[in-house]
Amino acid sequence: MGDDVTVSQPDRLDRQILSHLVHDGRATYQELSREVRLSASSVAERVRHLRAAGVIRGYRAELDAAALGRPLTMVSEVRLRESTVRREFAASLAAIPQVVAGSRLTGDYDYELRLACRDAAEFESIVDRLRADHGVVAIRSRMVLHDLEIDPGGLAGLE
């Protein structure tokens, strides 16, 4: 038999745990247990099941690009040449550390990339590199003025 874990849809307590973890991914099982009024061992078991089911994909530090010397954030939609293999394009983005996020799209453009750059000159060099080395035929970019503070914990409350 395999190690497949089948988990039903998260229940109300799972969703409460998820909501707290979204706001503080470093919360201990003890802290979570106080928030949801379960024992720490029960919380730990629920978190293990949520991880095994793929509901929780991981824990990450949220970085401030400006504090790291990259105050210019750009959102760029790119269209690939017909001959470009999409899987290879996506993998090639790992070689461009200024690309900090991306999504495959429907519509006129193939991908949306989020870039964190020092300045306009660095952004221009990334655009040139995408065109020359990564199969990009068209690019449409916009500068991010500021990000919105949207609570990602709301997703945990959806049924």
Side-chain angles (χ1 to χ4, degrees):
M1 287 195 208
D3 290 343
D4 293 339
V5 176
T6 54
V7 175
S8 60
Q9 289 291 330
D11 65 13
R12 181 185 56 81
L13 288 171
D14 290 336
R15 291 177 186 285
Q16 287 177 344
I17 292 168
L18 291 169
S19 181
H20 289 291
L21 284 174
V22 164
H23 292 98
D24 183 4
R26 296 181 65 186
T28 66
Y29 295 137
Q30 289 288 347
E31 292 167 333
L32 292 170
S33 72
R34 284 191 295 275
E35 294 292 334
V36 299
R37 295 188 169 97
L38 283 179
S39 70
S41 61
S42 293
V43 168
E45 185 64 25
R46 284 174 175 266
V47 170
R48 277 193 287 280
H49 279 100
L50 291 165
R51 283 187 58 92
V55 174
I56 298 173
R57 295 189 309 189
Y59 303 92
R60 293 172 185 80
E62 187 176 323
L63 305 180
D64 183 328
L68 292 169
R70 307 227 166 249
L72 179 64
T73 301
M74 300 295 291
V75 175
S76 297
E77 294 174 320
V78 299
R79 185 179 314 124
L80 303 179
R81 288 186 196 95
E82 290 294 323
S83 61
T84 304
V85 178
R86 295 181 197 302
R87 191 172 300 129
E88 291 174 8
F89 169 77
S92 77
L93 295 175
I96 307 173
Q98 293 87 346
V99 177
V100 296
S103 301
R104 175 98 188 268
L105 305 174
T106 63
D108 293 336
Y109 288 82
D110 299 306
Y111 290 88
E112 179 181 87
L113 305 177
R114 189 171 183 102
L115 297 98
C117 300
R118 281 189 303 267
D119 52 31
E122 183 178 53
F123 173 68
E124 183 179 16
S125 73
I126 299 302
V127 168
D128 292 344
R129 187 172 169 192
L130 287 167
R131 287 188 170 136
D133 302 334
H134 297 273
V136 171
V137 67
I139 187 164
R140 179 172 61 186
S141 300
R142 293 169 311 282
M143 181 176 64
V144 175
L145 297 175
H146 69 271
D147 288 315
L148 302 177
E149 293 293 326
I150 297 175
D151 182 6
L155 184 60
L158 295 177
E159 293 193 36

